[in-house]
Amino acid sequence: MNLEYDADEQSLLSQAADVFRGIAPLDAAGQKPSVWRSLVDAGWHDLGADVERGTLAAGLAAGVFRAAGHQLLVDQFTSGAYLLSALATHVQDEPDRAHVAAALEQRPGVLLGDGRGAAVPVVDAGAREGYCFGAQGEIDVYRVVDDGGLVLARWLGAPPRVQARPALSPSVATVTVDGDEWRPMRLDLTAGDLPGIETTALLLHSAALIGCAEELLTTTRDYALNRHQFGAPIGSYQAVKHALADVYAANTVAWNAILSAVAEGADTVTAPLVARYLAVEAALGSARAGAQFHGGMGFTAELTVHRFLKTVLDGGQRFGSHDEFAAALGKEMVSRAC
């Protein structure tokens, strides 16, 4: 199993990282409304379609998501650039498929649902409110309904009410629509086809969390090298050096687990569970270290570290809590051993 990128892939990932850095989505209020437009202009808004069509390998997509995580493009990227883009490729009717693609070129979208369960929540036909991720600025709202076959519907009524939850993270919001003005679009998928899309979303989101963790580690390391206490940089003390070395090791192991899970022939049940568990564990460790070694400032909203901390803490709950993944992994390992 080859977990290394070749020269062409490394060049593509370097270009993606340059684009994400140029977008610079962070300011005091969170992500700028222009971020999605910049992603569209750079061609990074329809990764899901590329993965579903097989024109972009999932392992390479993971590298793109990792780079996006460095700029806090985690949930918005997962919701729009992957999930909705992937579902759009399965819209049966060509005009409807073009309609979704055109809409995603204008603004990001979110799937109506609880935001913490299945990556593609299949909701009741009467659902009008959801706890969603990636909901900054103007958004489009979609929902997936099963009426004997899966239907992707786009909201066409009045602009949705978006109640941001900044206490959780910059990308979390409650989204509400009034009425029943949906454009239904039949998918060539059944409920049994969704796990493949959902597993890829899980792994790509995990890769973005690793990007967050790596950016946190770099920021914390730089601070530790420049913050002097008792006449020496705090980074010169063994307690700090060892803790940051542990974070680096955890990030590296988790990233390799993600690549292993998306590699051809990887275990389709255990490998994604292992990758998700290790990714969240590594991201949480990086977030805790960042907050701790920045001292009291690490917990304040004035520092970028704080926004990374919130993104990691809440992003680690997406698709299920960390404890739930640990329990599922344990159950799977026991069943394989018996």
Side-chain angles (χ1 to χ4, degrees), residues 1-5 58-59 62 66 199 202-204 206-207 210 214 248-282 329:
M1 182 184 300
N2 183 10
L3 300 183
E4 297 292 332
Y5 293 118
R66 180 191 189 187
T199 297
L202 177 76
L203 293 172
L204 296 181
S206 299
I210 291 300
E214 291 172 336
Y248 174 81
N251 289 346
T252 302
V253 170
W255 172 242
N256 285 328
I258 292 169
L259 288 183
S260 177
V262 299
E264 184 177 357
D267 188 311
T268 57
V269 177
T270 306
L273 290 176
V274 171
R276 180 62 176 184
Y277 179 82
L278 291 176
V280 173
E281 192 76 8
L329 178 58

Side-chain angles (χ1 to χ4, degrees), residues 48-49 51-53 82-94 96-97 100 150-152 185-190 193-194 196-197:
V51 172
E52 283 297 291
R53 296 185 187 115
Y82 176 70
L83 280 174
L84 286 171
S85 175
L87 289 173
T89 65
H90 293 284
V91 173
Q92 291 182 357
D93 185 68
E94 172 58 33
D96 284 339
R97 191 159 59 246
V100 178
L150 292 184
V151 173
L152 176 68
M185 296 166 284
R186 183 73 57 180
L187 299 175
D188 60 3
L189 296 170
T190 67
D193 297 321
L194 293 180
I197 293 176

Side-chain angles (χ1 to χ4, degrees), residues 283-294:
L284 290 174
S286 188
R288 293 180 185 121
Q292 178 181 357
F293 295 128
H294 276 81

